[in-house]
Amino acid sequence: MRPFGSLLSLLMLAGLAACASAGDASMKNLTASEVDSAIHDGVTTGDEVQRRFGAPSEISQENGATIWSYAYTSGREDNLSLAQEAVGLSFIGTRSNAESKSLDVTLRNNIVQSHRFAVKHINGGSGVRQ
């Protein structure tokens, strides 16, 4: 029974290592409709945006406006890639799936002028599994 428990623990650790995320965790489950219900161009203030989404990960200036950027990316290798790695066949190649979310809010005088929310799905691979 002990070898099975060790193998199960090893596979669980490999699964955790295969998942990765970076950025603002408040955006993890965010949808376009939630953004649009929270931000109203010409009405919503920067303070309200920060209360809902926290501090931006990046701040830039453009044509007298301030742009706040929020980003979140999560990725995962597929189960076949994990199995290949567990049995020493990772040289065959891997497949991975990632999702990237970004929110850009343009402010003038602390009022939202415009906002843009985007979700991108990115699939990639290596070796013969490209």
Side-chain angles (χ1 to χ4, degrees):
M1 194 71 170
R2 196 167 219 21
F4 177 74
S6 297
L7 178 61
L8 183 60
S9 296
L10 181 65
L11 289 174
M12 287 174 58
L13 285 174
L16 290 174
C19 298
S21 63
D24 186 349
S26 71
M27 293 184 59
K28 180 178 181 178
N29 299 313
L30 194 62
T31 65
S33 62
E34 289 173 324
V35 171
D36 289 339
S37 69
I39 301 175
H40 303 282
D41 297 347
V43 177
T44 304
T45 66
D47 296 336
E48 291 169 322
V49 171
Q50 281 199 338
R51 273 196 296 277
R52 171 61 175 89
F53 300 104
S57 55
E58 184 179 320
I59 299 173
S60 59
Q61 302 288 323
E62 185 177 303
N63 298 327
T66 302
I67 301 169
W68 289 354
S69 298
Y70 297 84
Y72 179 80
T73 301
S74 64
R76 181 172 206 286
E77 287 185 342
D78 70 351
N79 290 333
L80 181 56
S81 296
L82 295 175
Q84 285 173 198
E85 190 172 317
V87 297
L89 297 174
S90 58
F91 64 88
I92 294 173
T94 61
R95 292 288 302 159
S96 61
N97 301 307
E99 181 179 76
S100 173
K101 294 181 178 184
S102 64
L103 171 62
D104 293 320
V105 180
T106 302
L107 298 129
R108 258 186 221 284
N109 301 321
N110 201 39
I111 301 293
V112 174
Q113 298 301 298
S114 64
H115 69 281
R116 182 171 101 34
F117 179 72
V119 178
K120 294 178 186 174
H121 297 279
I122 307 158
N123 299 314
S126 67
V128 296
R129 297 195 59 213
Q130 286 190 43

